[in-house]
Amino acid sequence: MDVPHRQYFSPRSFHELFLLWDQYPEATLFAGGTEILQGQTNFRFEIPSIILHLGALEELKKISRTERYLEIGAMVPLAEILSLGKLLPPFFIATVEGMATPLIQNLATIGGALCARKRASDIHGPLIAMDAMYELRDANGGQWISASRFQYLREQRIIEGKKVLSRVRIPLETWNQFYYIRFGSYPSPLPYTSYGCILMVARVEKEVLSDFRFILTGKQVLRNKEMELKLLGSQLPLEQSIIEQSLKSWKEGYQKLWNQEPYIWEVSSRALEEALVHHLTI
């Protein structure tokens, strides 16, 4: 049997990367390779014919910290992120731990997880909640965009031109309340959207809810900012009328999706009520 001719490049600089990408526009960027191999069951793996491996770009492997931010290079494996421990909030660590087995955590990178095409990786949730920023590099330099903006562009598949996610910048702020659950499983007899995670993070000051984020991550990332804003300034514990209004807002925000995926509505509404009633403590 003939073996297809394949080409593999490992550029050592961004300049070299974009020169090669211009020369081979059909090339596939390769980080940890977990998405390419996911779901392949044949003894012989199907891999792209032209690969640009990012592993030799040392800049993508760096972790740095300032008083306000933690910056993580896109090629940093999930296992190395977990080793940072208390530098990151517990809900972020819990999300990363729940994403993959230890073996996969050693292979998968934060950049690869964020750029996955098949579905939104769980890691989008905490990064959006923490107002993280991502640096996108092209041949002319870098541009910072918000985690939520990046996720929108990823979902719509409208990131224009040849761009590489190079760094993730996470604000070092304190969130003193959180609630995190995973739902469904993969592979699953349920629809493809019917597994993922739900995250609530909040900041409570003197029995008042000063900040609140509630995010569902599955095939899509769902967040109702209008509902979140209405909760700010509420006295704890929340009145039943406020809880009911929040559930109503969450339902109205994604009514079309709930009609298609009643399981997601059931899980997310139950999680929202649980978060509001039992996980916002004084």
Side-chain angles (χ1 to χ4, degrees):
M1 181 182 294
D2 293 334
V3 177
H5 178 64
R6 303 191 186 281
Q7 293 179 284
Y8 174 94
F9 301 95
S10 188
R12 295 183 176 276
S13 68
F14 283 110
H15 177 70
E16 185 181 358
L17 168 64
F18 289 110
L19 284 178
L20 285 166
W21 207 352
D22 283 339
Q23 186 176 354
Y24 302 100
E26 71 278 22
T28 297
L29 299 185
F30 187 97
T34 53
E35 186 179 32
I36 292 175
L37 301 179
Q38 186 181 32
Q40 295 201 39
T41 56
N42 294 330
F43 179 75
R44 183 177 172 186
F45 291 122
E46 295 291 330
I47 61 174
S49 58
I50 303 176
I51 287 177
L52 298 180
H53 185 226
L54 304 178
L57 289 165
E58 292 299 322
E59 186 175 335
L60 300 184
K61 301 177 183 179
K62 295 179 180 179
I63 298 175
S64 61
R65 180 188 177 185
T66 68
E67 290 185 3
R68 298 177 58 196
Y69 301 106
L70 179 69
E71 289 191 354
I72 302 174
M75 282 294 290
V76 174
L78 299 182
E80 188 173 347
I81 293 173
L82 290 175
S83 72
L84 296 174
K86 293 184 179 180
L87 279 178
L88 291 164
F91 59 82
F92 187 88
I93 296 296
T95 303
V96 175
E97 286 178 336
M99 287 171 57
T101 64
L103 176 62
I104 299 300
Q105 289 167 7
N106 282 306
L107 294 173
T109 64
I110 186 171
L114 289 171
C115 295
R117 296 180 181 180
K118 294 179 181 178
R119 68 182 293 275
S121 169
D122 293 353
I123 203 170
H124 284 282
L127 289 172
I128 290 173
M130 293 187 290
D131 294 324
M133 300 288 290
Y134 305 156
E135 184 187 47
L136 298 181
R137 292 284 294 265
D138 61 19
N140 298 314
Q143 173 191 10
W144 289 92
I145 66 171
S146 69
S148 56
R149 176 63 177 167
F150 177 86
Q151 169 55 20
Y152 171 78
L153 295 175
R154 190 202 69 85
E155 278 188 358
Q156 302 299 317
R157 300 185 184 275
I158 53 176
I159 296 178
E160 298 178 353
K162 297 181 177 69
K163 292 184 173 66
V164 176
L165 175 62
S166 55
R167 283 186 289 174
V168 175
R169 177 181 288 170
I170 303 173
L172 295 175
E173 298 179 342
T174 300
W175 298 89
N176 54 14
Q177 310 283 332
F178 80 93
Y179 174 59
Y180 165 80
I181 63 165
R182 292 186 57 79
F183 62 90
S185 61
Y186 177 78
S188 168
L190 295 168
Y192 190 60
T193 54
S194 298
Y195 70 95
C197 68
I198 295 171
L199 174 67
M200 179 277 289
V201 298
R203 190 175 291 118
V204 175
E205 300 172 355
K206 297 181 180 180
E207 302 183 13
V208 174
L209 188 59
S210 61
D211 209 339
F212 179 87
R213 318 281 170 90
F214 184 82
I215 299 171
L216 182 150
T217 307
K219 187 175 182 180
Q220 298 172 277
V221 175
L222 307 182
R223 179 185 181 188
N224 189 325
K225 289 187 177 182
E226 181 180 351
M227 177 199 72
E228 294 174 356
L229 287 171
K230 288 179 179 178
L231 283 166
L232 302 190
S234 298
Q235 191 80 24
L236 297 182
L238 295 175
E239 297 178 2
Q240 184 61 32
S241 60
I242 294 176
I243 294 171
E244 291 174 357
Q245 181 58 47
S246 298
L247 288 166
K248 181 180 178 182
S249 295
W250 179 250
K251 184 174 184 178
E252 291 174 347
Y254 297 101
Q255 186 68 61
K256 184 177 180 180
L257 176 62
W258 307 144
N259 292 337
Q260 298 170 350
E261 296 280 3
Y263 171 74
I264 300 295
W265 160 247
E266 179 184 345
V267 170
S268 64
S269 60
R270 192 186 312 131
L272 177 58
E273 185 171 15
E274 174 73 14
L276 295 176
V277 175
H278 299 294
H279 295 274
L280 291 177
T281 57
I282 299 173

